[in-house]
PDB file of all heavy atoms in Angstrom:
ATOM      1  N   GLY A 266     122.155 106.213 126.625  1.00 98.00           N
ATOM      2  CA  GLY A 266     121.159 106.141 127.680  1.00 98.00           C
ATOM      3  C   GLY A 266     120.163 107.277 127.647  1.00 98.00           C
ATOM      4  O   GLY A 266     119.131 107.223 128.328  1.00 98.00           O
ATOM      5  N   GLY A 267     120.446 108.284 126.844  1.00 98.00           N
ATOM      6  CA  GLY A 267     119.564 109.429 126.739  1.00 98.00           C
ATOM      7  C   GLY A 267     118.406 109.185 125.806  1.00 98.00           C
ATOM      8  O   GLY A 267     118.246 108.101 125.247  1.00 98.00           O
ATOM      9  N   SER A 268     117.602 110.224 125.622  1.00 98.00           N
ATOM     10  CA  SER A 268     116.409 110.126 124.789  1.00 98.00           C
ATOM     11  C   SER A 268     116.308 111.283 123.817  1.00 98.00           C
ATOM     12  O   SER A 268     116.822 112.374 124.067  1.00 98.00           O
ATOM     13  CB  SER A 268     115.145 110.115 125.662  1.00 98.00           C
ATOM     14  OG  SER A 268     115.113 109.000 126.527  1.00 98.00           O
ATOM     15  N   LEU A 269     115.641 111.031 122.715  1.00 98.00           N
ATOM     16  CA  LEU A 269     115.319 112.047 121.735  1.00 98.00           C
ATOM     17  C   LEU A 269     113.934 111.757 121.189  1.00 98.00           C
ATOM     18  O   LEU A 269     113.510 110.602 121.144  1.00 98.00           O
ATOM     19  CB  LEU A 269     116.315 112.063 120.573  1.00 98.00           C
ATOM     20  CG  LEU A 269     117.696 112.682 120.797  1.00 98.00           C
ATOM     21  CD1 LEU A 269     118.571 112.441 119.570  1.00 98.00           C
ATOM     22  CD2 LEU A 269     117.581 114.175 121.082  1.00 98.00           C
ATOM     23  N   ARG A 270     113.258 112.790 120.757  1.00 98.00           N
ATOM     24  CA  ARG A 270     111.962 112.626 120.124  1.00 98.00           C
ATOM     25  C   ARG A 270     111.997 113.280 118.751  1.00 98.00           C
ATOM     26  O   ARG A 270     112.189 114.490 118.640  1.00 98.00           O
ATOM     27  CB  ARG A 270     110.847 113.254 120.959  1.00 98.00           C
ATOM     28  CG  ARG A 270     109.439 112.935 120.452  1.00 98.00           C
ATOM     29  CD  ARG A 270     108.403 113.788 121.145  1.00 98.00           C
ATOM     30  NE  ARG A 270     107.048 113.352 120.869  1.00 98.00           N
ATOM     31  CZ  ARG A 270     105.992 114.162 120.826  1.00 98.00           C
ATOM     32  NH1 ARG A 270     106.146 115.452 121.067  1.00 98.00           N
ATOM     33  NH2 ARG A 270     104.789 113.673 120.570  1.00 98.00           N
ATOM     34  N   LEU A 271     111.823 112.481 117.725  1.00 98.00           N
ATOM     35  CA  LEU A 271     111.807 112.974 116.369  1.00 98.00           C
ATOM     36  C   LEU A 271     110.374 113.241 115.922  1.00 98.00           C
ATOM     37  O   LEU A 271     109.448 112.523 116.301  1.00 98.00           O
ATOM     38  CB  LEU A 271     112.443 111.965 115.411  1.00 98.00           C
ATOM     39  CG  LEU A 271     113.853 111.473 115.750  1.00 98.00           C
ATOM     40  CD1 LEU A 271     114.352 110.544 114.647  1.00 98.00           C
ATOM     41  CD2 LEU A 271     114.803 112.635 115.953  1.00 98.00           C
ATOM     42  N   SER A 272     110.210 114.263 115.109  1.00 98.00           N
ATOM     43  CA  SER A 272     108.908 114.598 114.555  1.00 98.00           C
ATOM     44  C   SER A 272     109.012 114.693 113.044  1.00 98.00           C
ATOM     45  O   SER A 272     110.049 115.071 112.505  1.00 98.00           O
ATOM     46  CB  SER A 272     108.402 115.938 115.111  1.00 98.00           C
ATOM     47  OG  SER A 272     108.230 115.880 116.509  1.00 98.00           O
ATOM     48  N   CYS A 273     107.935 114.348 112.379  1.00 97.00           N
ATOM     49  CA  CYS A 273     107.871 114.444 110.923  1.00 97.00           C
ATOM     50  C   CYS A 273     106.510 114.992 110.547  1.00 97.00           C
ATOM     51  O   CYS A 273     105.485 114.413 110.909  1.00 97.00           O
ATOM     52  CB  CYS A 273     108.088 113.067 110.286  1.00 97.00           C
ATOM     53  SG  CYS A 273     107.772 113.001 108.510  1.00 97.00           S
ATOM     54  N   VAL A 274     106.516 116.084 109.821  1.00 95.00           N
ATOM     55  CA  VAL A 274     105.276 116.727 109.405  1.00 95.00           C
ATOM     56  C   VAL A 274     105.163 116.696 107.886  1.00 95.00           C
ATOM     57  O   VAL A 274     106.091 117.108 107.187  1.00 95.00           O
ATOM     58  CB  VAL A 274     105.208 118.184 109.894  1.00 95.00           C
ATOM     59  CG1 VAL A 274     103.901 118.830 109.457  1.00 95.00           C
ATOM     60  CG2 VAL A 274     105.334 118.247 111.408  1.00 95.00           C
ATOM     61  N   ALA A 275     104.044 116.214 107.395  1.00 91.00           N
ATOM     62  CA  ALA A 275     103.772 116.222 105.965  1.00 91.00           C
ATOM     63  C   ALA A 275     103.126 117.547 105.583  1.00 91.00           C
ATOM     64  O   ALA A 275     102.288 118.072 106.315  1.00 91.00           O
ATOM     65  CB  ALA A 275     102.862 115.067 105.581  1.00 91.00           C
ATOM     66  N   SER A 276     103.523 118.079 104.441  1.00 88.00           N
ATOM     67  CA  SER A 276     103.024 119.377 104.017  1.00 88.00           C
ATOM     68  C   SER A 276     101.551 119.365 103.650  1.00 88.00           C
ATOM     69  O   SER A 276     100.905 120.411 103.665  1.00 88.00           O
ATOM     70  CB  SER A 276     103.848 119.884 102.827  1.00 88.00           C
ATOM     71  OG  SER A 276     103.711 119.022 101.715  1.00 88.00           O
ATOM     72  N   GLU A 277     101.021 118.205 103.318  1.00 84.00           N
ATOM     73  CA  GLU A 277      99.631 118.082 102.929  1.00 84.00           C
ATOM     74  C   GLU A 277      99.161 116.650 103.112  1.00 84.00           C
ATOM     75  O   GLU A 277      99.967 115.746 103.344  1.00 84.00           O
ATOM     76  CB  GLU A 277      99.439 118.514 101.470  1.00 84.00           C
ATOM     77  CG  GLU A 277     100.225 117.682 100.474  1.00 84.00           C
ATOM     78  CD  GLU A 277     100.196 118.257  99.079  1.00 84.00           C
ATOM     79  OE1 GLU A 277     101.011 119.150  98.789  1.00 84.00           O
ATOM     80  OE2 GLU A 277      99.337 117.819  98.283  1.00 84.00           O
ATOM     81  N   TYR A 278      97.869 116.442 102.989  1.00 82.00           N
ATOM     82  CA  TYR A 278      97.296 115.107 103.087  1.00 82.00           C
ATOM     83  C   TYR A 278      97.831 114.222 101.967  1.00 82.00           C
ATOM     84  O   TYR A 278      97.886 114.629 100.816  1.00 82.00           O
ATOM     85  CB  TYR A 278      95.772 115.191 103.003  1.00 82.00           C
ATOM     86  CG  TYR A 278      95.072 113.858 103.001  1.00 82.00           C
ATOM     87  CD1 TYR A 278      94.896 113.154 104.183  1.00 82.00           C
ATOM     88  CD2 TYR A 278      94.580 113.315 101.817  1.00 82.00           C
ATOM     89  CE1 TYR A 278      94.249 111.931 104.193  1.00 82.00           C
ATOM     90  CE2 TYR A 278      93.932 112.094 101.823  1.00 82.00           C
ATOM     91  CZ  TYR A 278      93.766 111.411 103.008  1.00 82.00           C
ATOM     92  OH  TYR A 278      93.113 110.197 103.005  1.00 82.00           O
ATOM     93  N   ILE A 279      98.222 113.020 102.330  1.00 82.00           N
ATOM     94  CA  ILE A 279      98.733 112.063 101.354  1.00 82.00           C
ATOM     95  C   ILE A 279      97.626 111.063 101.028  1.00 82.00           C
ATOM     96  O   ILE A 279      97.224 110.269 101.882  1.00 82.00           O
ATOM     97  CB  ILE A 279      99.972 111.339 101.889  1.00 82.00           C
ATOM     98  CG1 ILE A 279     101.078 112.351 102.215  1.00 82.00           C
ATOM     99  CG2 ILE A 279     100.462 110.310 100.880  1.00 82.00           C
ATOM    100  CD1 ILE A 279     102.306 111.742 102.863  1.00 82.00           C
ATOM    101  N   TYR A 280      97.146 111.099  99.792  1.00 81.00           N
ATOM    102  CA  TYR A 280      96.064 110.214  99.387  1.00 81.00           C
ATOM    103  C   TYR A 280      96.513 108.764  99.367  1.00 81.00           C
ATOM    104  O   TYR A 280      97.640 108.444  98.988  1.00 81.00           O
ATOM    105  CB  TYR A 280      95.541 110.616  98.006  1.00 81.00           C
ATOM    106  CG  TYR A 280      94.762 111.898  98.001  1.00 81.00           C
ATOM    107  CD1 TYR A 280      95.364 113.106  97.678  1.00 81.00           C
ATOM    108  CD2 TYR A 280      93.403 111.900  98.327  1.00 81.00           C
ATOM    109  CE1 TYR A 280      94.644 114.286  97.683  1.00 81.00           C
ATOM    110  CE2 TYR A 280      92.674 113.075  98.334  1.00 81.00           C
ATOM    111  CZ  TYR A 280      93.292 114.263  98.010  1.00 81.00           C
ATOM    112  OH  TYR A 280      92.575 115.439  98.014  1.00 81.00           O
ATOM    113  N   SER A 281      95.606 107.890  99.774  1.00 82.00           N
ATOM    114  CA  SER A 281      95.833 106.442  99.779  1.00 82.00           C
ATOM    115  C   SER A 281      97.055 106.040 100.601  1.00 82.00           C
ATOM    116  O   SER A 281      97.707 105.045 100.299  1.00 82.00           O
ATOM    117  CB  SER A 281      95.977 105.932  98.338  1.00 82.00           C
ATOM    118  OG  SER A 281      94.822 106.215  97.580  1.00 82.00           O
ATOM    119  N   ARG A 282      97.346 106.797 101.623  1.00 85.00           N
ATOM    120  CA  ARG A 282      98.494 106.476 102.465  1.00 85.00           C
ATOM    121  C   ARG A 282      98.224 105.219 103.277  1.00 85.00           C
ATOM    122  O   ARG A 282      97.174 105.101 103.918  1.00 85.00           O
ATOM    123  CB  ARG A 282      98.817 107.639 103.395  1.00 85.00           C
ATOM    124  CG  ARG A 282     100.076 107.430 104.229  1.00 85.00           C
ATOM    125  CD  ARG A 282     100.375 108.665 105.044  1.00 85.00           C
ATOM    126  NE  ARG A 282      99.334 108.929 106.026  1.00 85.00           N
ATOM    127  CZ  ARG A 282      99.244 110.057 106.731  1.00 85.00           C
ATOM    128  NH1 ARG A 282     100.132 111.023 106.545  1.00 85.00           N
ATOM    129  NH2 ARG A 282      98.258 110.211 107.605  1.00 85.00           N
ATOM    130  N   LYS A 283      99.174 104.308 103.256  1.00 89.00           N
ATOM    131  CA  LYS A 283      99.027 103.066 103.983  1.00 89.00           C
ATOM    132  C   LYS A 283      99.725 103.126 105.333  1.00 89.00           C
ATOM    133  O   LYS A 283      99.175 102.701 106.345  1.00 89.00           O
ATOM    134  CB  LYS A 283      99.569 101.892 103.167  1.00 89.00           C
ATOM    135  CG  LYS A 283      99.265 100.547 103.775  1.00 89.00           C
ATOM    136  CD  LYS A 283      99.465  99.445 102.762  1.00 89.00           C
ATOM    137  CE  LYS A 283      98.969  98.118 103.298  1.00 89.00           C
ATOM    138  NZ  LYS A 283      99.027  97.062 102.252  1.00 89.00           N
ATOM    139  N   CYS A 284     100.935 103.653 105.331  1.00 93.00           N
ATOM    140  CA  CYS A 284     101.660 103.766 106.584  1.00 93.00           C
ATOM    141  C   CYS A 284     102.763 104.805 106.469  1.00 93.00           C
ATOM    142  O   CYS A 284     103.126 105.237 105.378  1.00 93.00           O
ATOM    143  CB  CYS A 284     102.242 102.419 107.005  1.00 93.00           C
ATOM    144  SG  CYS A 284     103.585 101.820 105.971  1.00 93.00           S
ATOM    145  N   MET A 285     103.278 105.181 107.617  1.00 95.00           N
ATOM    146  CA  MET A 285     104.440 106.052 107.677  1.00 95.00           C
ATOM    147  C   MET A 285     105.484 105.365 108.526  1.00 95.00           C
ATOM    148  O   MET A 285     105.154 104.563 109.398  1.00 95.00           O
ATOM    149  CB  MET A 285     104.087 107.418 108.250  1.00 95.00           C
ATOM    150  CG  MET A 285     103.136 108.201 107.370  1.00 95.00           C
ATOM    151  SD  MET A 285     102.907 109.917 107.901  1.00 95.00           S
ATOM    152  CE  MET A 285     104.507 110.614 107.471  1.00 95.00           C
ATOM    153  N   GLY A 286     106.718 105.685 108.247  1.00 96.00           N
ATOM    154  CA  GLY A 286     107.776 105.012 108.978  1.00 96.00           C
ATOM    155  C   GLY A 286     109.021 105.839 109.145  1.00 96.00           C
ATOM    156  O   GLY A 286     109.181 106.905 108.535  1.00 96.00           O
ATOM    157  N   TRP A 287     109.874 105.334 110.003  1.00 98.00           N
ATOM    158  CA  TRP A 287     111.188 105.916 110.228  1.00 98.00           C
ATOM    159  C   TRP A 287     112.253 104.927 109.787  1.00 98.00           C
ATOM    160  O   TRP A 287     112.189 103.736 110.116  1.00 98.00           O
ATOM    161  CB  TRP A 287     111.389 106.272 111.700  1.00 98.00           C
ATOM    162  CG  TRP A 287     110.578 107.437 112.157  1.00 98.00           C
ATOM    163  CD1 TRP A 287     109.356 107.421 112.760  1.00 98.00           C
ATOM    164  CD2 TRP A 287     110.938 108.825 112.040  1.00 98.00           C
ATOM    165  NE1 TRP A 287     108.928 108.693 113.031  1.00 98.00           N
ATOM    166  CE2 TRP A 287     109.882 109.582 112.596  1.00 98.00           C
ATOM    167  CE3 TRP A 287     112.048 109.491 111.521  1.00 98.00           C
ATOM    168  CZ2 TRP A 287     109.908 110.974 112.654  1.00 98.00           C
ATOM    169  CZ3 TRP A 287     112.071 110.877 111.572  1.00 98.00           C
ATOM    170  CH2 TRP A 287     111.012 111.598 112.134  1.00 98.00           C
ATOM    171  N   PHE A 288     113.206 105.435 109.049  1.00 98.00           N
ATOM    172  CA  PHE A 288     114.331 104.648 108.570  1.00 98.00           C
ATOM    173  C   PHE A 288     115.613 105.352 108.975  1.00 98.00           C
ATOM    174  O   PHE A 288     115.614 106.548 109.252  1.00 98.00           O
ATOM    175  CB  PHE A 288     114.272 104.489 107.046  1.00 98.00           C
ATOM    176  CG  PHE A 288     113.073 103.716 106.568  1.00 98.00           C
ATOM    177  CD1 PHE A 288     111.821 104.301 106.524  1.00 98.00           C
ATOM    178  CD2 PHE A 288     113.203 102.392 106.168  1.00 98.00           C
ATOM    179  CE1 PHE A 288     110.706 103.593 106.092  1.00 98.00           C
ATOM    180  CE2 PHE A 288     112.101 101.666 105.731  1.00 98.00           C
ATOM    181  CZ  PHE A 288     110.855 102.270 105.698  1.00 98.00           C
ATOM    182  N   ARG A 289     116.692 104.609 109.010  1.00 98.00           N
ATOM    183  CA  ARG A 289     117.966 105.222 109.357  1.00 98.00           C
ATOM    184  C   ARG A 289     119.084 104.636 108.516  1.00 98.00           C
ATOM    185  O   ARG A 289     119.012 103.502 108.055  1.00 98.00           O
ATOM    186  CB  ARG A 289     118.279 105.046 110.845  1.00 98.00           C
ATOM    187  CG  ARG A 289     118.541 103.612 111.284  1.00 98.00           C
ATOM    188  CD  ARG A 289     118.681 103.544 112.794  1.00 98.00           C
ATOM    189  NE  ARG A 289     118.975 102.201 113.266  1.00 98.00           N
ATOM    190  CZ  ARG A 289     119.013 101.857 114.538  1.00 98.00           C
ATOM    191  NH1 ARG A 289     118.777 102.753 115.492  1.00 98.00           N
ATOM    192  NH2 ARG A 289     119.299 100.599 114.875  1.00 98.00           N
ATOM    193  N   GLN A 290     120.110 105.437 108.338  1.00 98.00           N
ATOM    194  CA  GLN A 290     121.255 104.994 107.560  1.00 98.00           C
ATOM    195  C   GLN A 290     122.534 105.547 108.172  1.00 98.00           C
ATOM    196  O   GLN A 290     122.696 106.757 108.302  1.00 98.00           O
ATOM    197  CB  GLN A 290     121.132 105.442 106.110  1.00 98.00           C
ATOM    198  CG  GLN A 290     122.212 104.893 105.208  1.00 98.00           C
ATOM    199  CD  GLN A 290     121.906 105.112 103.739  1.00 98.00           C
ATOM    200  OE1 GLN A 290     121.138 106.004 103.382  1.00 98.00           O
ATOM    201  NE2 GLN A 290     122.484 104.293 102.884  1.00 98.00           N
ATOM    202  N   ALA A 291     123.411 104.646 108.545  1.00 97.00           N
ATOM    203  CA  ALA A 291     124.718 105.013 109.058  1.00 97.00           C
ATOM    204  C   ALA A 291     125.719 104.976 107.914  1.00 97.00           C
ATOM    205  O   ALA A 291     125.506 104.272 106.918  1.00 97.00           O
ATOM    206  CB  ALA A 291     125.140 104.059 110.170  1.00 97.00           C
ATOM    207  N   PRO A 292     126.817 105.720 108.014  1.00 94.00           N
ATOM    208  CA  PRO A 292     127.817 105.722 106.947  1.00 94.00           C
ATOM    209  C   PRO A 292     128.294 104.317 106.604  1.00 94.00           C
ATOM    210  O   PRO A 292     128.626 103.533 107.493  1.00 94.00           O
ATOM    211  CB  PRO A 292     128.952 106.555 107.534  1.00 94.00           C
ATOM    212  CG  PRO A 292     128.264 107.480 108.481  1.00 94.00           C
ATOM    213  CD  PRO A 292     127.174 106.639 109.099  1.00 94.00           C
ATOM    214  N   GLY A 293     128.291 103.991 105.318  1.00 95.00           N
ATOM    215  CA  GLY A 293     128.752 102.696 104.870  1.00 95.00           C
ATOM    216  C   GLY A 293     127.768 101.558 105.038  1.00 95.00           C
ATOM    217  O   GLY A 293     128.098 100.412 104.730  1.00 95.00           O
ATOM    218  N   LYS A 294     126.577 101.848 105.519  1.00 96.00           N
ATOM    219  CA  LYS A 294     125.575 100.812 105.732  1.00 96.00           C
ATOM    220  C   LYS A 294     124.316 101.100 104.920  1.00 96.00           C
ATOM    221  O   LYS A 294     124.078 102.228 104.496  1.00 96.00           O
ATOM    222  CB  LYS A 294     125.212 100.700 107.213  1.00 96.00           C
ATOM    223  CG  LYS A 294     126.373 100.351 108.121  1.00 96.00           C
ATOM    224  CD  LYS A 294     125.904 100.036 109.524  1.00 96.00           C
ATOM    225  CE  LYS A 294     125.101  98.753 109.573  1.00 96.00           C
ATOM    226  NZ  LYS A 294     124.699  98.400 110.963  1.00 96.00           N
ATOM    227  N   GLU A 295     123.532 100.062 104.690  1.00 97.00           N
ATOM    228  CA  GLU A 295     122.277 100.211 103.979  1.00 97.00           C
ATOM    229  C   GLU A 295     121.246 100.897 104.859  1.00 97.00           C
ATOM    230  O   GLU A 295     121.286 100.807 106.086  1.00 97.00           O
ATOM    231  CB  GLU A 295     121.737  98.848 103.537  1.00 97.00           C
ATOM    232  CG  GLU A 295     122.593  98.129 102.517  1.00 97.00           C
ATOM    233  CD  GLU A 295     121.963  96.832 102.058  1.00 97.00           C
ATOM    234  OE1 GLU A 295     120.967  96.396 102.660  1.00 97.00           O
ATOM    235  OE2 GLU A 295     122.470  96.252 101.083  1.00 97.00           O
ATOM    236  N   ARG A 296     120.313 101.568 104.206  1.00 97.00           N
ATOM    237  CA  ARG A 296     119.225 102.174 104.943  1.00 97.00           C
ATOM    238  C   ARG A 296     118.318 101.066 105.481  1.00 97.00           C
ATOM    239  O   ARG A 296     117.960 100.129 104.760  1.00 97.00           O
ATOM    240  CB  ARG A 296     118.430 103.114 104.039  1.00 97.00           C
ATOM    241  CG  ARG A 296     117.381 103.929 104.764  1.00 97.00           C
ATOM    242  CD  ARG A 296     116.770 104.996 103.856  1.00 97.00           C
ATOM    243  NE  ARG A 296     117.766 105.949 103.395  1.00 97.00           N
ATOM    244  CZ  ARG A 296     117.481 107.041 102.698  1.00 97.00           C
ATOM    245  NH1 ARG A 296     116.223 107.323 102.390  1.00 97.00           N
ATOM    246  NH2 ARG A 296     118.453 107.845 102.307  1.00 97.00           N
ATOM    247  N   GLU A 297     117.957 101.167 106.741  1.00 97.00           N
ATOM    248  CA  GLU A 297     117.149 100.138 107.363  1.00 97.00           C
ATOM    249  C   GLU A 297     115.887 100.717 107.993  1.00 97.00           C
ATOM    250  O   GLU A 297     115.871 101.847 108.470  1.00 97.00           O
ATOM    251  CB  GLU A 297     117.958  99.399 108.437  1.00 97.00           C
ATOM    252  CG  GLU A 297     118.402 100.274 109.591  1.00 97.00           C
ATOM    253  CD  GLU A 297     119.084  99.496 110.702  1.00 97.00           C
ATOM    254  OE1 GLU A 297     118.982  98.258 110.723  1.00 97.00           O
ATOM    255  OE2 GLU A 297     119.717 100.140 111.564  1.00 97.00           O
ATOM    256  N   GLY A 298     114.851  99.903 107.990  1.00 98.00           N
ATOM    257  CA  GLY A 298     113.621 100.307 108.624  1.00 98.00           C
ATOM    258  C   GLY A 298     113.754 100.243 110.131  1.00 98.00           C
ATOM    259  O   GLY A 298     114.305  99.283 110.672  1.00 98.00           O
ATOM    260  N   VAL A 299     113.253 101.246 110.811  1.00 98.00           N
ATOM    261  CA  VAL A 299     113.321 101.331 112.259  1.00 98.00           C
ATOM    262  C   VAL A 299     111.961 101.055 112.885  1.00 98.00           C
ATOM    263  O   VAL A 299     111.819 100.201 113.762  1.00 98.00           O
ATOM    264  CB  VAL A 299     113.836 102.707 112.714  1.00 98.00           C
ATOM    265  CG1 VAL A 299     113.804 102.823 114.234  1.00 98.00           C
ATOM    266  CG2 VAL A 299     115.244 102.943 112.185  1.00 98.00           C
ATOM    267  N   ALA A 300     110.966 101.794 112.443  1.00 98.00           N
ATOM    268  CA  ALA A 300     109.620 101.654 112.981  1.00 98.00           C
ATOM    269  C   ALA A 300     108.616 102.191 111.986  1.00 98.00           C
ATOM    270  O   ALA A 300     108.892 103.167 111.287  1.00 98.00           O
ATOM    271  CB  ALA A 300     109.487 102.399 114.310  1.00 98.00           C
ATOM    272  N   THR A 301     107.460 101.559 111.913  1.00 98.00           N
ATOM    273  CA  THR A 301     106.395 102.020 111.036  1.00 98.00           C
ATOM    274  C   THR A 301     105.066 101.963 111.767  1.00 98.00           C
ATOM    275  O   THR A 301     104.903 101.219 112.735  1.00 98.00           O
ATOM    276  CB  THR A 301     106.292 101.185 109.750  1.00 98.00           C
ATOM    277  OG1 THR A 301     105.939  99.830 110.086  1.00 98.00           O
ATOM    278  CG2 THR A 301     107.610 101.180 108.993  1.00 98.00           C
ATOM    279  N   ILE A 302     104.122 102.749 111.277  1.00 97.00           N
ATOM    280  CA  ILE A 302     102.788 102.754 111.857  1.00 97.00           C
ATOM    281  C   ILE A 302     101.760 102.845 110.735  1.00 97.00           C
ATOM    282  O   ILE A 302     101.859 103.695 109.845  1.00 97.00           O
ATOM    283  CB  ILE A 302     102.628 103.909 112.875  1.00 97.00           C
ATOM    284  CG1 ILE A 302     101.249 103.847 113.544  1.00 97.00           C
ATOM    285  CG2 ILE A 302     102.866 105.269 112.234  1.00 97.00           C
ATOM    286  CD1 ILE A 302     101.152 104.726 114.790  1.00 97.00           C
ATOM    287  N   TYR A 303     100.785 101.940 110.757  1.00 95.00           N
ATOM    288  CA  TYR A 303      99.736 101.939 109.751  1.00 95.00           C
ATOM    289  C   TYR A 303      98.766 103.083 110.019  1.00 95.00           C
ATOM    290  O   TYR A 303      98.285 103.260 111.140  1.00 95.00           O
ATOM    291  CB  TYR A 303      98.993 100.607 109.746  1.00 95.00           C
ATOM    292  CG  TYR A 303      99.755  99.502 109.069  1.00 95.00           C
ATOM    293  CD1 TYR A 303     100.771  98.822 109.734  1.00 95.00           C
ATOM    294  CD2 TYR A 303      99.473  99.138 107.754  1.00 95.00           C
ATOM    295  CE1 TYR A 303     101.487  97.816 109.107  1.00 95.00           C
ATOM    296  CE2 TYR A 303     100.181  98.134 107.123  1.00 95.00           C
ATOM    297  CZ  TYR A 303     101.185  97.477 107.801  1.00 95.00           C
ATOM    298  OH  TYR A 303     101.884  96.466 107.174  1.00 95.00           O
ATOM    299  N   THR A 304      98.491 103.840 108.982  1.00 93.00           N
ATOM    300  CA  THR A 304      97.709 105.060 109.116  1.00 93.00           C
ATOM    301  C   THR A 304      96.312 104.829 109.677  1.00 93.00           C
ATOM    302  O   THR A 304      95.871 105.545 110.574  1.00 93.00           O
ATOM    303  CB  THR A 304      97.599 105.771 107.764  1.00 93.00           C
ATOM    304  OG1 THR A 304      98.913 106.049 107.271  1.00 93.00           O
ATOM    305  CG2 THR A 304      96.824 107.075 107.890  1.00 93.00           C
ATOM    306  N   ASP A 305      95.613 103.832 109.172  1.00 92.00           N
ATOM    307  CA  ASP A 305      94.231 103.602 109.574  1.00 92.00           C
ATOM    308  C   ASP A 305      94.092 102.890 110.914  1.00 92.00           C
ATOM    309  O   ASP A 305      93.272 103.282 111.749  1.00 92.00           O
ATOM    310  CB  ASP A 305      93.491 102.806 108.504  1.00 92.00           C
ATOM    311  CG  ASP A 305      93.304 103.588 107.221  1.00 92.00           C
ATOM    312  OD1 ASP A 305      93.365 104.826 107.252  1.00 92.00           O
ATOM    313  OD2 ASP A 305      93.080 102.942 106.177  1.00 92.00           O
ATOM    314  N   SER A 306      94.867 101.864 111.114  1.00 94.00           N
ATOM    315  CA  SER A 306      94.710 101.040 112.307  1.00 94.00           C
ATOM    316  C   SER A 306      95.586 101.464 113.478  1.00 94.00           C
ATOM    317  O   SER A 306      95.270 101.165 114.630  1.00 94.00           O
ATOM    318  CB  SER A 306      95.006  99.580 111.977  1.00 94.00           C
ATOM    319  OG  SER A 306      96.379  99.399 111.677  1.00 94.00           O
ATOM    320  N   GLY A 307      96.689 102.125 113.192  1.00 96.00           N
ATOM    321  CA  GLY A 307      97.630 102.469 114.243  1.00 96.00           C
ATOM    322  C   GLY A 307      98.554 101.331 114.618  1.00 96.00           C
ATOM    323  O   GLY A 307      99.352 101.465 115.555  1.00 96.00           O
ATOM    324  N   THR A 308      98.453 100.223 113.912  1.00 97.00           N
ATOM    325  CA  THR A 308      99.331  99.088 114.161  1.00 97.00           C
ATOM    326  C   THR A 308     100.782  99.479 113.906  1.00 97.00           C
ATOM    327  O   THR A 308     101.081 100.160 112.932  1.00 97.00           O
ATOM    328  CB  THR A 308      98.946  97.907 113.259  1.00 97.00           C
ATOM    329  OG1 THR A 308      97.608  97.506 113.547  1.00 97.00           O
ATOM    330  CG2 THR A 308      99.883  96.723 113.483  1.00 97.00           C
TER     331      THR A 308
END
């Protein structure tokens, strides 16, 4: 029921970047996509 806020900082500008995302992986499970955001549109 609680909340957390994760942050991710890139060390430099990433050329031709399309989107950034968050993925997660629990023990014994495949890594899964959680959320993504398109760099240009914000979608």
